[in-house]
Amino acid sequence: MKADVWDETNALLIFKTWQENFTYWEALTHIWTQAVANLYRPLPLSIAYTIDYFMPDRNTSWHVLRGLNILLLIATFTQLLLLARKLSKPSVAQEIALTLVFFGSGSVIISSGWFANIFDVFTIFLLLSGIRLLLEKRWKSAFAIISLAFYCKEISILIFPLVFFLTWSKSIEVKKGIIFLVFLIASFFIYIALRQNIVPIGSDKDIHAFDLSSFPKTLYAWFESLWWQNTRRESNTIAFLISILFFISLKNIKILICMIGAMVLCSIIYLGMLPYSTEQEFTYLVFQSRLYLIPVVLLLFIAAAWGRAWTLYVILVPTLMGGWQTYSDYSIFQSVYAEIYEKASASDKQFIVHYPESPLEDNERNLLIGNYPDAEYKIDTVNARLIINQ
């Protein structure tokens, strides 16, 4: 909790602009009918704006919004643990391993400390809630909850392979499961139709590149970096083998097929978004862990429910190593931003920092960050510190 950073700050500045130019309901209408930063994820954005709207100042807002992420992650883990107990009755050691993998993973660490990942946090909370309701045969409630997840983030489509497996394995009634899946797909296409009208898929407005030439390397990157949850290191054969071992450890061949299908879906959605960054550069790439939250938590659910006794132990060490790297990188990132804000507040003129990777125009702090090669200060992207620009 050292400083609001990057997209957090930009979001709060956008919220302030809306408050100055719109009524509360006009702002919500804007969120649901317009793209915001080339995204159409209106549900969590509406909730975040509502919270900020009633906060006394910006410094309070980012603390409260990060706190919301933390509460939702705790609620998500509670759902995960209850589902595991319902389906497989794990041992105490397995529950401890599940707890460590969840809260020690880079994706959960970055999501709890960076409220801009609110899209992923809401999505996985709603998806796990929907799975629980589905297993309890509360079909209508499950349909409503999962449908809401579509309006949080596109990767919510990972629910389809999972519902397909639950039907295929007869964990839910087959006939009702098929009907449920058909209606769920229809609900998703309603969302796609809305999104297509606002942010056409693959267009210049779309944040996703959908570069088909990137598919093979993205698919490999998923398998290779899954339990480290970042790609800030050399490609690692051992890491790839750990992911393969994880999938082999699943007891049910049906779930294995469905989860590999889910990984392929991830690669399609994240085409070209997982480049390797072997140099220790201080850029937005330190946040890559954010992309792993939804698939990783769903895979943890699968491991706890249908994995062998040793499944969670295999992924424990690499997950904690990746989590520590994410924590360390993000702590440095916040510290540098805190230093920038301190110097900006003490400056009697506009404070400008050369850092093209994360542009920011913050009139409240009289601060500019971006591509300003002649600025007095710049961020040393190798050593991760604010230095005089010489």
Side-chain angles (χ1 to χ4, degrees):
M1 295 288 186
K2 297 173 184 175
D4 53 301
V5 299
W6 191 34
D7 278 359
E8 289 183 316
T9 311
N10 279 312
L12 294 175
L13 290 170
I14 289 172
F15 290 166
K16 182 184 178 184
T17 301
W18 289 348
Q19 289 173 20
E20 292 173 346
N21 294 282
F22 303 136
T23 66
Y24 172 73
W25 293 110
E26 285 174 341
L28 289 190
T29 301
H30 178 82
I31 289 170
W32 282 87
T33 59
Q34 304 290 327
V36 179
N38 289 351
L39 296 171
Y40 184 65
R41 298 168 184 170
L43 180 57
L45 193 58
S46 297
I47 294 170
Y49 177 71
T50 299
I51 290 172
D52 178 73
Y53 184 84
F54 291 103
M55 289 296 104
D57 55 62
R58 185 171 70 177
N59 193 50
T60 305
S61 291
W62 67 268
H63 283 91
V64 172
L65 286 165
R66 284 189 188 178
L68 173 63
N69 274 13
I70 292 169
L71 290 174
L72 284 171
L73 287 166
I74 292 171
T76 298
F77 177 75
T78 302
Q79 301 264 37
L80 177 62
L81 188 58
L82 291 174
L83 284 167
R85 288 174 176 174
K86 179 182 179 67
L87 293 168
S88 68
K89 296 180 174 59
S91 66
V92 173
Q94 286 174 304
E95 289 192 359
I96 292 172
L98 180 63
T99 305
L100 290 173
V101 170
F102 184 91
F103 288 108
S105 67
S107 55
V108 170
I109 288 171
I110 195 65
S111 298
S112 63
W114 188 53
F115 80 73
N117 218 42
I118 193 171
F119 309 109
D120 302 70
V121 174
F122 265 99
T123 300
I124 193 58
F125 171 71
L126 290 171
L127 291 183
L128 280 191
S129 299
I131 292 168
R132 180 178 58 81
L133 292 167
L134 194 57
L135 291 172
E136 293 174 356
K137 301 180 180 179
R138 296 162 65 182
W139 303 93
K140 292 180 181 178
S141 297
F143 174 77
I145 291 294
I146 294 173
S147 293
L148 286 176
F150 298 149
Y151 296 86
C152 295
K153 195 167 185 180
E154 298 81 357
I155 203 169
S156 54
I157 64 170
L158 293 187
I159 195 65
F160 294 141
L162 190 50
V163 173
F164 178 76
F165 163 72
L166 293 173
T167 305
W168 189 13
S169 64
K170 299 181 180 179
S171 297
I172 56 178
E173 187 179 333
V174 174
K175 183 179 179 180
K176 288 186 177 180
I178 293 172
I179 294 172
F180 182 87
L181 192 56
V182 169
F183 274 92
L184 200 61
I185 292 172
S187 177
F188 177 72
F189 274 103
I190 291 172
Y191 157 74
I192 286 295
L194 288 171
R195 185 189 190 279
Q196 191 70 8
N197 189 50
I198 296 169
V199 185
I201 295 173
S203 69
D204 292 339
K205 293 181 179 180
D206 196 351
I207 195 171
H208 295 289
F210 292 108
D211 178 10
L212 289 178
S213 64
S214 301
F215 178 73
K217 68 179 182 181
T218 306
L219 181 61
Y220 177 81
W222 266 117
F223 277 90
E224 191 278 321
S225 62
L226 180 63
W227 299 110
W228 265 259
Q229 296 172 46
N230 63 70
T231 54
R232 295 191 69 200
R233 64 191 192 292
E234 296 287 350
S235 180
N236 192 329
T237 303
I238 295 175
F240 181 84
L241 292 176
I242 287 174
S243 290
I244 297 299
L245 186 61
F246 170 83
F247 282 100
I248 291 174
S249 75
L250 300 177
K251 299 175 186 177
N252 191 315
I253 187 66
K254 295 177 181 178
I255 192 63
L256 174 61
I257 293 169
C258 292
M259 287 304 99
I260 290 177
M263 291 295 284
V264 172
L265 276 177
C266 283
S267 302
I268 293 171
I269 292 173
Y270 286 145
L271 283 178
M273 294 186 72
L274 289 171
Y276 276 95
S277 178
T278 55
E279 296 181 7
Q280 293 300 298
E281 290 187 348
F282 178 72
T283 73
Y284 60 88
L285 291 176
V286 302
F287 296 163
Q288 275 184 330
S289 315
R290 74 193 189 280
L291 300 177
Y292 294 81
L293 180 68
I294 296 164
V296 160
V297 174
L298 288 177
L299 287 173
L300 285 179
F301 164 59
I302 298 305
W306 292 284
R308 301 184 191 280
W310 47 268
T311 304
L312 293 169
Y313 308 137
V314 168
I315 59 177
L316 181 59
V317 172
T319 300
L320 294 180
M321 289 174 64
W324 176 251
Q325 183 177 32
T326 296
Y327 177 85
S328 300
D329 288 343
Y330 189 52
S331 178
I332 293 170
F333 199 90
Q334 289 193 76
S335 296
V336 173
Y337 267 77
E339 183 181 0
I340 290 172
Y341 297 157
E342 183 179 355
K343 288 185 179 296
S345 65
S347 176
D348 56 0
K349 60 181 180 179
Q350 190 171 51
F351 193 75
I352 305 175
V353 178
H354 178 59
Y355 183 46
E357 290 82 359
S358 298
L360 171 66
E361 184 176 352
D362 189 343
N363 293 325
E364 283 191 17
R365 291 185 171 118
N366 206 22
L367 171 65
L368 277 178
I369 300 176
N371 187 19
Y372 304 107
D374 297 326
E376 182 180 359
Y377 286 90
K378 71 176 182 178
I379 292 177
D380 179 353
T381 59
V382 176
N383 299 308
R385 55 197 179 93
L386 184 67
I387 60 174
I388 301 292
N389 189 14
Q390 296 178 337

